[in-house]
Amino acid sequence: MPLLPLLQRTLPRVGLRWQHRVAVEVANEPVLEFKPGSSERLALQKALNNLKGKTEAIPCVVGGEEVWTADVRYQVSPFKHSHKVAKYCYADKDLLNKAINAAVAARKEWDLRPVQDRAKIFFKAADMLSGPRRAEVLAKTMVGQAKTVIQAEIDAAAELIDFFRFNAKYAVELEQDQPLSVPPSTNSMVYRGLEGFVAAVSPFNFTAIGGNLAGTPALMGNVVLWKPSDTAVLSNYAVYKILLEAGLPPNIIQFVPADGPVFGDTVTGSEHLCGLNFTGSVPTFKRLWKQISENLDRYRTFPRLAGECGGKNFHFVHASADVPSVVSGTLRSAFEYSGQKCSACSRLYAPDSLWPRIKAMLLEEHQKIKVGDPAEDFETFFSAVIDQKSFGRIQKWIKHAETSPNLDILAGGKCDDTVGYFIQPSIIETRDPKDPIMQEEIFGPVLAVYVYPEKRYQDILQLIDSTSPYGLTGAVFAQDKAVVAEATRLLRNAAGNFYINDKSTGSVVAQQPFGGARASGTNDKPGSPHYILRWTSPLAIKETHAPLGDWKYPYMQ
Ligand code: NAD
């Protein structure tokens, strides 16, 4: 149901202070099934047909105006790279500085807008995504980022809608969170945006993450420069336009595709930088963090740094595990969206007692996986990897497996980039649990397996904890409750999202707030009420309603 009327009914505006707490009711967006003949499937097919052979022209949007620079680029469809899906341009340093100035000039007025007004824009955008604009954004995510129907649906529809609705709810409810007032004074807290601009740098792999990285700081009263990934410009621009149509004023978010280092160098060099909202790889986040620390004397305020980075996510299987659950969960986690989820399982630890059964089932099911064009053939389970660079990087891992004496390729291993950047789902067994394939993020459809002696499972839990620098997601498969408890204790710091008898992917906003520590990031948990606190700078106000009286204290008499 559209939430805007509901919001209008349930939110009496009472200025800065609230008389009583009003909860804003929202629920997770249902994930649609797209069964043959369903209305959502027909709408999606129509939207996909509309994109066939088309190249959308996407400008930078700076100072409320569409701007083109001479540095023109193309986004191609990963599964058919002859199809240029978007023509866009890079903002250069001058344009980025213009964007900073335009954003900073718009900040004061936006920050003073009541949070209910700002929230309404995000509720409206969520309603548009849930209804009339769903098919368009899904189709653009499928064709531009090579997602299947369901992968686009859980990302560009369900997760993005949930981010907008839940964050808007949390923002409105936060304002009700007021300090104690003790007569003769009243105390209040004003949740201001940060002073300056926030740089939002988004990855290619989730349309929802782009919307959230730029959208949440804006919701909280900040102004933002949004740099989308080169390989997700098409879908990200659609989301941006929806926000504008939902009522986001010009200049609150500047849309600036740009060369990564040019963007990074420019924003970190500005005295007005007050926040970095980043999701992507560890090297990029570290580079930005270092640049910010080097420029620290320049800034008017300490910039807030939020970064969600990579993972080397594990599935630990105990001898008491349910084998079909292990196989289904692992196939989905390792290979959905070609393993290009930060939470994808890429290392499986299986006990020798169960391995023959797990292996037989894994290989049998593996044969049924269809890799192809997700827009033409809805039976496709996954498609091409995002671009030539990723293709080359993943191919190197396959070569490593082919040449290393410790590794055997059990399934897959073929790569073909003639039409699109296709890599077969690959299962690789290692005899060395410390091989780089067990330690480093691959970000592709490659699952490494280590078979351990059943009785040594406690050592293996220690090994899992210490093998990789990451701490993002992980899963334990065991029916033995004591083992589950022990694994939960020993792996306490190995993951920020921990699953028991479930796969390591698929977190849902407000249900499993997402993020990890160690090299995986600052663990700010997008999808929870805590996340919005990163984008506010509260002002505490005390007002006293009685004369102050004598300056001397009673003990001084
Ligand atoms: P990436 O680091 O290559 O790029 C991320 C963004 O940074 C892109 O927009 C890119 O253009 C930009 N960028 C690159 N160099 C820059 C620079 N010097 N200054 C400023 N911006 C710069 O990552 P990617 O390939 O887009 O995404 C994949 C990575 O993201 C993986 O490591 C994955 O695990 C991680 N990821 C993490 C999460 C999470 O929530 N933890 C979610 C999605 C993706």
Side-chain angles (χ1 to χ4, degrees):
M1 132 172 209
L3 278 156
L4 202 53
L6 181 74
L7 184 72
Q8 279 156 347
R9 277 205 310 276
T10 54
L11 289 181
R13 175 114 58 77
V14 287
L16 284 181
R17 301 186 51 77
W18 290 73
Q19 310 304 324
H20 52 86
R21 295 181 73 86
V22 181
V24 182
E25 299 297 335
V26 301
N28 288 113
E29 175 73 6
V31 174
L32 303 183
E33 290 186 306
F34 297 87
K35 284 191 181 143
S38 61
S39 57
E40 68 265 21
R41 184 163 169 137
L42 294 175
L44 178 59
Q45 277 167 331
K46 197 169 157 215
L48 287 167
N49 278 337
N50 285 343
L51 295 180
K52 265 200 186 140
K54 299 255 175 67
T55 306
E56 185 174 328
I58 296 176
C60 296
V61 184
V62 172
E65 288 182 359
E66 299 186 357
V67 185
W68 280 92
T69 66
D71 196 353
V72 170
R73 307 272 158 161
Y74 291 91
Q75 180 189 343
V76 302
S77 183
F79 51 85
K80 193 178 174 190
H81 42 56
S82 59
H83 179 195
K84 294 172 176 164
V85 297
K87 173 186 175 182
Y88 64 98
C89 65
Y90 272 170
D92 56 20
K93 196 169 181 232
D94 284 349
L95 190 58
L96 290 169
N97 279 320
K98 261 191 200 154
I100 292 173
N101 291 337
V104 170
R107 191 193 81 78
K108 275 196 184 137
E109 199 185 322
W110 176 242
D111 177 47
L112 286 172
R113 286 267 290 267
V115 68
Q116 295 88 342
D117 287 4
R118 296 196 305 260
K120 268 184 207 163
I121 297 165
F122 287 85
F123 280 119
K124 177 143 189 230
D127 289 348
M128 289 165 73
L129 280 161
S130 169
R133 304 299 278 279
R134 193 182 200 112
E136 176 203 342
V137 178
L138 292 187
K140 288 181 172 173
T141 300
M142 288 173 69
V143 174
Q145 288 140 266
K147 294 212 167 187
T148 59
V149 180
I150 187 67
Q151 292 305 311
E153 169 70 4
I154 58 168
D155 164 17
E159 186 169 80
L160 183 54
I161 294 165
D162 284 352
F163 272 140
F164 284 172
R165 285 189 180 145
F166 277 94
N167 286 331
K169 162 195 163 74
Y170 298 146
V172 168
E173 290 175 353
L174 179 67
E175 191 154 293
Q176 302 174 58
D177 216 342
Q178 292 295 327
L180 283 181
S181 286
V182 178
S185 300
T186 46
N187 298 315
S188 57
M189 194 85 105
V190 180
Y191 294 93
R192 304 171 298 186
L194 312 178
E195 209 181 357
F197 75 94
V198 174
V201 182
S202 52
F204 75 84
N205 67 340
F206 274 83
T207 304
I209 293 179
N212 185 50
L213 293 184
T216 305
L219 166 73
M220 298 306 291
N222 297 279
V223 289
V224 180
L225 260 65
W226 178 7
K227 194 207 94 53
S229 164
D230 292 354
T231 43
V233 178
L234 182 68
S235 64
N236 285 200
Y237 188 61
V239 172
Y240 179 62
K241 294 270 280 207
I242 288 170
L243 282 171
L244 294 180
E245 287 167 39
L248 189 76
N251 284 319
I252 305 310
I253 299 179
Q254 317 277 332
F255 187 78
V256 278
D259 172 63
V262 170
F263 181 85
D265 295 355
T266 310
V267 295
T268 57
S270 166
E271 63 180 318
H272 298 294
L273 181 74
C274 65
L276 170 68
N277 204 7
F278 174 85
T279 299
S281 64
V282 173
T284 310
F285 188 46
K286 280 192 175 169
R287 178 186 156 118
L288 288 164
W289 190 303
K290 280 181 194 153
Q291 285 183 308
I292 289 169
S293 65
E294 278 159 15
N295 286 330
L296 214 47
D297 291 335
R298 266 186 209 202
Y299 304 130
R300 293 176 176 220
T301 188
F302 287 102
R304 299 263 171 100
L305 308 182
E308 304 301 330
C309 302
K312 186 70 189 173
N313 313 296
F314 58 84
H315 278 186
F316 165 76
V317 184
H318 181 254
S320 65
D322 173 57
V323 170
S325 299
V326 170
V327 172
S328 297
T330 304
L331 284 176
R332 278 196 175 180
S333 177
F335 299 131
E336 275 182 324
Y337 193 40
S338 324
Q340 298 172 114
K341 295 185 185 184
C342 46
S343 53
C345 170
S346 64
R347 47 184 177 135
L348 172 71
Y349 296 83
D352 51 5
S353 52
L354 284 191
W355 176 235
R357 271 181 71 206
I358 295 174
K359 181 176 168 182
M361 250 181 113
L362 258 182
L363 296 183
E364 193 186 330
E365 296 305 312
H366 174 273
Q367 287 181 352
K368 300 176 191 164
I369 293 177
K370 200 163 180 182
V371 183
D373 178 335
E376 284 293 331
D377 180 0
F378 279 17
E379 282 182 19
T380 302
F381 180 66
F382 79 77
S383 185
V385 299
I386 194 70
D387 59 12
Q388 187 75 60
K389 203 170 127 205
S390 290
F391 179 85
R393 198 192 60 239
I394 301 161
Q395 206 176 23
K396 274 194 196 145
W397 281 105
I398 305 272
K399 291 237 161 70
H400 168 65
E402 282 167 352
T403 50
S404 166
N406 283 325
L407 304 176
D408 295 326
I409 300 179
L410 303 183
K414 297 244 162 24
C415 311
D416 181 353
D417 62 353
T418 17
V419 177
Y421 308 112
F422 286 103
I423 297 194
Q424 282 184 341
S426 303
I427 304 174
I428 293 163
E429 187 177 345
T430 177
R431 280 171 285 280
D432 176 7
K434 292 275 190 178
D435 188 278
I437 209 164
M438 297 296 274
Q439 299 190 40
E440 293 173 32
E441 185 180 49
I442 298 174
F443 220 55
V446 178
L447 172 71
V449 186
Y450 177 67
V451 180
Y452 68 86
E454 178 191 319
K455 294 222 157 46
R456 283 193 49 221
Y457 80 87
Q458 280 147 324
D459 297 340
I460 296 305
L461 291 172
Q462 306 276 10
L463 179 81
I464 291 173
D465 185 47
S466 57
T467 295
S468 108
Y470 296 103
L472 196 50
T473 77
V476 167
F477 289 86
Q479 297 303 312
D480 184 327
K481 295 272 182 263
V483 171
V484 169
E486 191 174 20
T488 308
R489 183 170 52 78
L490 289 173
L491 297 172
R492 184 177 168 86
N493 295 305
N497 283 67
F498 190 67
Y499 294 85
I500 298 165
N501 294 315
D502 208 333
K503 65 188 169 60
S504 64
T505 54
S507 69
V508 174
V509 170
Q511 293 189 34
Q512 297 93 24
F514 191 76
R518 295 185 178 169
S520 294
T522 50
N523 199 10
D524 292 299
K525 291 283 184 258
S528 79
H530 315 297
Y531 183 67
I532 62 166
L533 290 172
R534 295 290 279 148
W535 308 112
T536 178
S537 175
L539 166 69
I541 299 177
K542 176 186 179 188
E543 181 178 0
T544 292
H545 306 283
L548 294 183
D550 195 352
W551 63 272
K552 286 187 185 155
Y553 291 98
Y555 78 89
M556 292 164 77
Q557 284 166 10

